[in-house]
Amino acid sequence: MAVGIFDSGLGGLTVLNAAQSRLPDVDFLYYADSARAPYGVRDAEDIYQLTKKAVAEMWSKGCDLVILACNTASAAALRRMQEEGLPEGKRVLGVFVPLIEALTERQWGDNSPPREVEVKHVALFATPATVSSRAFQRELAFRAIGVDVEAQACGGVVDAIEDGDLILAEALVRSHVDALKRKMPEPQAAILGCTHYPLMEQDFQAALGEGVKVFSQGALVADSLADYLERHPQMLGSGTGGYFTTGDPAKVSNRATQFLRREINFEAA
């Protein structure tokens, strides 16, 4: 039985790693659309169609539940997929809500009206497509009022990480943080709104300063998934785990092994 985790590339491995640690008895099927990564520079319709196609392939492999570990896909495709209707017994979940619930200190599943929260100034670092979608701000408005969100589109960071050029990625992180702080000099919290960015979390923290609390998604999504599966055990599905990519399996396997520092072997999707 396997739960699906989808990402446009390798960033979702940060969510997969946390989920495997949190749920060691659950098999996971990871699907990376590496041939078309990054999604963050694509338009919303393109992202929707690519995400829908990938999720359908994961359903065909026996995953009844798919987590969109790609923030860009969560922002541009999730709501539309849910509104247009999913096949019976299939579910797709995103990664924004667990993050927002942690930021606003609301319990999982708390559907009470939005209220004032302690954090008033939030920096959001995300891909250009996620920033333009304003999906994070929309979901936040369901849960909190009076929060000022300043978003910074972090062009180039995903490409640098996917290429294994962490020196360039670090330089880009510093540049994007500097640009954000010119607009919001004193953020209280920062959201790493792309699953690639936790790989650079220390660099974000260093550039932001110790007084800024940095939220990333791996452990938060893993905890929410554990809670969901406890309430919906039937969503474990019938498939088996594995790693699949639309890109070059050997190249993607090599990069994934570097990221997680353990051997990962991808197959052709």
Side-chain angles (χ1 to χ4, degrees), residues 67-119:
I67 309 297
L68 299 185
C70 176
N71 283 264
T72 301
S74 288
L78 176 61
R79 180 175 288 260
R80 183 173 168 186
M81 289 181 69
Q82 293 173 334
E83 288 175 347
E84 291 185 356
L86 303 176
E88 185 176 355
K90 307 295 185 184
R91 295 290 183 273
V92 183
L93 302 176
V95 289
F96 278 137
V97 172
L99 193 65
I100 290 170
E101 290 181 335
L103 176 68
T104 57
E105 298 183 344
R106 291 172 71 110
Q107 295 296 316
W108 174 255
D110 180 353
N111 293 316
S112 61
R115 58 177 181 265
E116 293 274 355
V117 294
E118 184 176 349
V119 176

Side-chain angles (χ1 to χ4, degrees), residues 160-161 164-174 200 203:
I161 292 172
D165 191 345
L166 299 186
I167 294 175
L168 174 59
E170 180 182 351
L172 288 169
V173 165
R174 288 198 304 268
M200 309 302 296
D203 300 291

Side-chain angles (χ1 to χ4, degrees), residues 5-21:
I5 294 183
F6 168 71
D7 191 72
S8 61
L10 297 177
L13 291 173
T14 59
V15 172
L16 174 70
N17 200 42
Q20 287 176 324
S21 296

Side-chain angles (χ1 to χ4, degrees), residues 19 22-23 108 220-232:
R22 181 70 174 78
L23 298 162
W108 174 255
L220 297 173
V221 173
D223 286 343
S224 292
L225 176 59
D227 177 82
Y228 184 87
L229 290 175
E230 185 176 341
R231 291 181 290 116
H232 305 282

